[in-house]
Amino acid sequence: MAKWGQGDPRWIVEERADATNVNNWHWTERDATSWSKRKLKEVLEGLVVEGEAGRCEIGDLKHVEGEASCNSRKGKLIFFYEWNLRLSWKGTVKESGEKHKGSVEIPNLSEENEVDDTEINVSKKKGEGDVLKDLMRTEGTTKVREALRDYLKALKTEFTLGMILPTKAPAGQELPTEQTPSENTVQDSVSPQSVDTVGVKIPTVRILMREVFNSPADELYSIFTTKELVQKFSKCPAVIEAEKGGKLQMFEGCVSGEYTELVPSQRIVLKWRCRSWPDEHYATVALTFQEVVAAQTELQLECKGVPVSAEESTRQCWKKQYFEEIHLLLQQSQDSME
């Protein structure tokens, strides 16, 4: 067997637990379809378009059809994606206050075309209000293209984390193991740390978040530990084994983990990961429930060991997929009781 620094790198086996398919020389493939659907929804929905004519906002991603994947061969990444998308939009004319709505269609977003060359069609419901249609065709199209670029950037960075495995540096050189993140708000502070993952160090961060819910602590705790309630706010089938060592799987397998500590109505600790992270890399998530007033609970989240490149997407996952959806679930429950 060749020693490090000698011979063809295809056959060099590094001294680590994942030494199979070293340097990703052989063909590997990762399905990005489910992840892409969530990311497209995240970057497109809620876009605001403003101009002299009025104000428009992109609504729901009504139709998303297609697939995406990332392939690794000889240490290089190759991307395949093809999407047919349709979004709704609504707007208000500045002078008259009239409200109109329509749709945005993207019939073929694929690797064969640059984003600037991708066809984007804007239509409007019957009636007046063409000034808003013109606004969406100009400023709106620009905003949509920017969002599509954000999706592709995330696909090529965030989703592919870990597909090209780090290799040992030549003698006398060291691989960087730490990275200092940018400044963050007081609520979501971050500090750098390094975590070993299958023998390779990657730069990670710690995320802190706080959210107040109109719910007693025991009820909020149940939402995180009861399968039926998790499926209600996540809108997906889930695996919830709320006991020490029990498994967790949500959002069509995009999130998985294991319960490591449960103190009813007070605290939950999880091994937690996103599917796009390096294989076998888990963050440690601690959820602390503290009642501030009657029927109102502050949830404190600490997430340690998040890959630096996944910092923002992880924060958005907790904010949008967890917190916002739980608020809606609690509101719906309250409305049904009135």
Side-chain angles (χ1 to χ4, degrees):
M1 183 180 295
K3 294 181 179 180
W4 181 256
Q6 299 178 4
D8 192 320
R10 281 174 290 185
W11 312 118
I12 296 174
V13 178
E14 301 183 31
E15 296 175 356
R16 64 189 191 202
D18 65 341
T20 57
N21 197 16
V22 175
N23 300 328
N24 291 90
W25 187 265
H26 304 296
W27 183 277
T28 59
E29 181 174 352
R30 181 183 289 177
D31 184 8
T33 302
S34 295
W35 177 90
S36 292
K37 288 180 179 180
R38 293 188 177 280
K39 179 59 68 171
L40 286 164
K41 187 179 181 73
E42 176 186 318
V43 300
L44 287 167
E45 291 187 352
L47 288 177
V48 174
V49 183
E50 293 186 284
E52 294 183 359
R55 182 183 187 277
C56 298
E57 181 176 339
I58 300 288
D60 294 336
L61 184 56
K62 296 284 190 180
H63 175 81
V64 52
E65 180 182 11
E67 60 183 353
S69 64
C70 178
N71 302 276
S72 173
R73 177 72 170 99
K74 296 184 180 180
K76 295 182 179 180
L77 295 176
I78 304 167
F79 298 91
F80 299 97
Y81 54 91
E82 186 173 10
W83 295 105
N84 182 328
L85 310 172
R86 185 174 72 251
L87 301 129
S88 64
W89 66 266
K90 59 183 179 181
T92 305
V93 179
K94 188 174 184 179
E95 290 187 357
S96 65
E98 292 180 349
K99 298 184 182 296
H100 299 275
K101 55 186 178 180
S103 62
V104 177
E105 294 191 12
I106 308 166
N108 185 27
L109 173 66
S110 74
E111 77 280 353
E112 296 180 355
N113 302 307
E114 297 291 334
V115 172
D116 287 341
D117 299 325
T118 299
E119 182 181 358
I120 299 178
N121 301 316
V122 176
S123 61
K124 186 185 69 64
K125 298 288 185 180
K126 292 182 179 180
E128 297 180 356
D130 285 340
V131 289
L132 293 183
K133 182 178 179 181
D134 292 338
L135 177 62
M136 287 297 300
R137 279 179 171 174
T138 53
E139 299 297 327
T141 296
T142 299
K143 289 265 192 177
V144 169
R145 291 192 195 281
E146 290 174 356
L148 295 178
R149 290 191 191 95
D150 289 342
Y151 156 68
L152 294 177
K153 181 180 178 181
L155 175 64
K156 296 176 181 180
T157 54
E158 175 186 321
F159 179 79
T160 60
L161 190 64
M163 288 196 71
I164 297 296
L165 301 177
T167 57
K168 291 186 178 179
Q173 296 184 16
E174 293 184 359
L175 290 172
T177 59
E178 291 191 356
Q179 178 175 340
T180 302
S182 57
E183 291 291 329
N184 286 271
T185 62
V186 174
Q187 182 174 352
D188 298 353
S189 60
V190 181
S191 63
Q193 57 180 218
S194 293
V195 175
D196 282 324
T197 302
V198 285
V200 180
K201 286 187 175 182
I202 64 171
T204 65
V205 296
R206 179 169 65 102
I207 297 174
L208 301 176
M209 300 177 70
R210 291 181 174 86
E211 189 79 8
V212 176
F213 294 90
N214 293 323
S215 166
D218 58 346
E219 180 181 339
L220 188 59
Y221 177 91
S222 295
I223 290 177
F224 283 92
T225 55
T226 305
K227 179 178 179 179
E228 292 75 18
L229 295 176
V230 170
Q231 291 182 155
K232 278 188 177 181
F233 82 76
S234 67
K235 300 178 175 64
C236 292
V239 175
I240 302 295
E241 300 173 355
E243 59 184 17
K244 188 173 182 178
K247 301 301 181 185
L248 163 79
Q249 189 175 86
M250 298 173 61
F251 307 119
E252 299 178 336
C254 289
V255 166
S256 60
E258 179 182 310
Y259 291 92
T260 61
E261 180 184 344
L262 296 105
V263 181
S265 306
Q266 297 181 36
R267 181 175 170 85
I268 300 172
V269 181
L270 303 161
K271 286 175 58 180
W272 188 93
R273 63 175 269 106
C274 291
R275 185 164 55 194
S276 59
W277 292 4
D279 291 345
E280 301 304 318
H281 180 83
Y282 287 84
T284 299
V285 172
L287 302 171
T288 303
F289 304 83
Q290 184 175 357
E291 287 197 5
V292 288
V293 295
Q296 195 171 78
T297 301
E298 180 183 83
L299 175 62
Q300 299 174 3
L301 177 144
E302 180 185 40
C303 193
K304 296 190 295 184
V306 176
V308 166
S309 61
E311 174 191 343
E312 184 58 28
S313 63
T314 301
R315 182 178 289 107
Q316 289 301 314
C317 175
W318 281 99
K319 179 182 177 182
K320 294 183 176 295
Q321 304 299 324
Y322 282 87
F323 296 168
E324 291 184 4
E325 295 298 332
I326 289 173
H327 278 301
L328 287 174
L329 177 62
L330 290 170
Q331 185 61 50
Q332 290 169 0
S333 177
Q334 183 178 345
D335 290 345
S336 65
M337 294 175 63
E338 293 178 353

